[in-house]
Amino acid sequence: MRSKMDDKVFYALVTAVVVIGGIGIGVAYSYTSSHPVTVQATGPYYLTMVVTPNNPYQINATFEHRQPSYFIVGPNNTLESAATINLPAHREIILTIIDYDSGPTPNIGPTGTSNNTTYTKVIGTVGNVEYVYNSTIPVSSYSKNTTQIQKPEAISQIPWYGNSSWGYNITHTFTILSGSTILVNIPSWGGSTTVAYLYLNNTGTYNWQCFVPCGYGNDGWGAAMVTAGWMTGTVNVQ
Ligand SMILES: [Cu+2]
């Protein structure tokens, strides 16, 4: 396990990465402490998450440097662990996932060798869609009079990337499970920002998990994929 000093170094590194990335979207982050973000009493609940791709993860005496991790952007833009996520029941939740990871994958599902398209689909959101901001909306002209608007596109499934066997253009999912039942599945299009609107109708404690094998080992299911706060954790619906 990591020591406290290592934690500080680690979060400083992550904060630096996010700050550099955040310039592009006009947001600055700073890390103060790691604690579950409390839910305010009324109104829509905004949950903003960041995925950074190349975090160092200690395995025995060495670091695996290519482990992805979710983080929560907390109050005042603090960066918090995603190990425990508190969400309100019976209220609109506006979930934003800012994903700095990229690259397609052919393998999605419970094992690294399965190719389960379920997890490429948007499940449990309003309209069963998510809104993807990825700057790939084509413009008709590149003249100086044309402004390329970063317009969100509503999608119900992440598409296959390319004509060959490259894979789905998906880097991670944010999936909330009740036992083995999928309550919410929000696939992330690599390098994009995704916004989804959803309601959770039952209070309780659930697990969240990414189902793109993005972690350590031959099957991609080690390290980040099985470590709370990285690619898995707990959701408390209150
Ligand atoms: Cu993942």
Side-chain angles (χ1 to χ4, degrees):
M1 296 299 290
R2 215 181 286 114
S3 72
K4 286 213 163 178
M5 181 57 81
D6 285 338
D7 265 340
K8 281 185 181 170
V9 173
F10 169 73
Y11 280 109
L13 284 170
V14 170
T15 301
V17 167
V18 172
V19 165
I20 290 164
I23 290 168
I25 55 168
V27 178
Y29 303 93
S30 66
Y31 176 78
T32 55
S33 63
S34 182
H35 57 269
V37 175
T38 53
V39 172
Q40 280 123 358
T42 57
Y45 184 69
Y46 290 87
L47 172 62
T48 300
M49 304 178 80
V50 175
V51 180
T52 57
N54 292 321
N55 305 285
Y57 185 107
Q58 188 169 2
I59 298 172
N60 299 321
T62 61
F63 282 94
E64 167 63 33
H65 284 275
R66 297 179 61 83
Q67 291 300 288
S69 184
Y70 275 92
F71 293 91
I72 296 173
V73 179
N76 303 315
N77 294 327
T78 55
L79 199 61
E80 309 289 353
S81 168
T84 302
I85 300 173
N86 294 323
L87 291 173
H90 313 296
R91 266 171 55 193
E92 182 181 32
I93 297 166
I94 302 174
L95 172 58
T96 301
I97 298 174
I98 303 165
D99 187 351
Y100 292 109
D101 210 345
S102 60
T105 179
N107 297 322
I108 303 164
T111 74
T113 54
S114 72
N115 195 347
N116 190 337
T117 58
T118 298
Y119 297 101
T120 67
K121 295 174 182 172
V122 183
I123 298 169
T125 68
V126 174
N128 287 319
V129 296
E130 64 185 27
Y131 298 86
V132 178
Y133 294 70
N134 62 9
S135 301
T136 59
I137 308 299
V139 291
S140 57
S141 165
Y142 289 96
S143 74
K144 286 183 178 177
N145 293 329
T146 303
T147 301
Q148 181 160 358
I149 299 169
Q150 294 174 298
K151 187 181 173 187
E153 183 181 6
I155 65 167
S156 58
Q157 184 170 15
I158 295 283
W160 188 267
Y161 183 77
N163 297 321
S164 62
S165 57
W166 283 26
Y168 294 96
N169 205 339
I170 184 173
T171 49
H172 305 280
T173 71
F174 180 70
T175 309
I176 303 175
L177 299 162
S178 176
S180 59
T181 301
I182 300 170
L183 296 181
V184 173
N185 188 65
I186 299 173
S188 180
W189 187 321
S192 299
T193 295
T194 300
V195 177
Y197 302 84
L198 60 134
Y199 292 83
L200 297 171
N201 295 321
N202 294 301
T203 59
T205 301
Y206 305 94
N207 292 322
W208 73 265
Q209 175 74 54
C210 167
F211 277 96
V212 178
C214 59
Y216 181 72
N218 288 335
D219 66 359
W221 271 84
M225 284 294 276
V226 293
T227 304
W230 293 60
M231 284 289 140
T232 187
T234 300
V235 175
N236 292 320
V237 183
Q238 301 154 326

